[in-house]
Every structure is written in structure tokens, then in C-alpha cells.
Amino acid sequence: MLEKNSLAKIRANVESCVGQKVRLKANKGRKKTTIREGIIESAYPSIFVVKIDGGYNSIRRVSYSYSDILTETVEVTLCNDEKKIQIS
């Protein structure tokens, strides 16, 4: 039951940040991490979508689940105040 409450808190935090610029640090496994900046475009019941400017007039959309934040596979940091979106 604790995990469900934690996911609900994470979802609420992400939904409150829709439209804001964020920095994503994603763990890809085998000591590979990627750091990108983008805008949280939308939040759905299971996932959230981040729009990333890929350069050369290309735009990518990447989706992550809220459990990725819970398991710390993805760290989402607001670029304006350097605040991490976490369980709290």
C-alpha cells in the first residue's frame, strides 16, 4: 500500500510540473547514463511524456513511467529551482 501512495505522490508532483523545463538523468544500464533537457509535455495515468529538442530542427518525445522515478532509474530535476521530483 505504501508504494501505491508513493506513486500517487510522484504522479501529482509530475502533473503539477507540466509545461516546465526539466533535466532528465536516465540510467541506461551497464554504467551508461544520459542527461537531457526538455519540457514535460503531458502526464497520463501510467506515464509522462517529455519533449526534447534534438537539434537540427528535430523534436523527440520520450516517455517514462512513474515507477522509473520511484526506482531511481530516472532523475527529474526542475531547471528553474534545481529541485528534484521525488516521493515527497
Side-chain angles (χ1 to χ4, degrees):
M1 188 69 179
L2 178 66
E3 183 176 337
K4 188 168 180 86
N5 286 337
S6 299
L7 284 175
K9 289 179 184 179
I10 291 171
R11 183 180 306 130
N13 286 341
V14 171
E15 286 174 352
S16 69
C17 297
V18 170
Q20 295 185 10
K21 189 172 182 177
V22 294
R23 182 176 300 120
L24 295 169
K25 183 177 179 184
N27 183 5
K28 298 285 215 171
R30 295 244 177 198
K31 299 179 183 178
K32 295 179 186 174
T33 58
T34 59
I35 299 173
R36 295 187 175 152
E37 291 187 1
I39 298 172
I40 297 179
E41 189 174 49
S42 57
Y44 296 104
S46 300
I47 61 169
F48 63 98
V49 179
V50 180
K51 184 169 84 170
I52 298 172
D53 184 18
Y56 301 110
N57 295 329
S58 68
I59 295 175
R60 289 186 63 186
R61 285 178 174 79
V62 183
S63 63
Y64 296 102
S65 67
Y66 300 112
S67 61
D68 290 337
I69 296 175
L70 182 66
T71 59
E72 298 179 357
T73 305
V74 176
E75 289 181 12
V76 181
T77 308
L78 293 175
C79 287
N80 296 341
D81 27 340
E82 296 296 324
K83 185 179 85 174
K84 288 186 182 177
I85 297 174
Q86 292 180 350
I87 299 170
S88 59

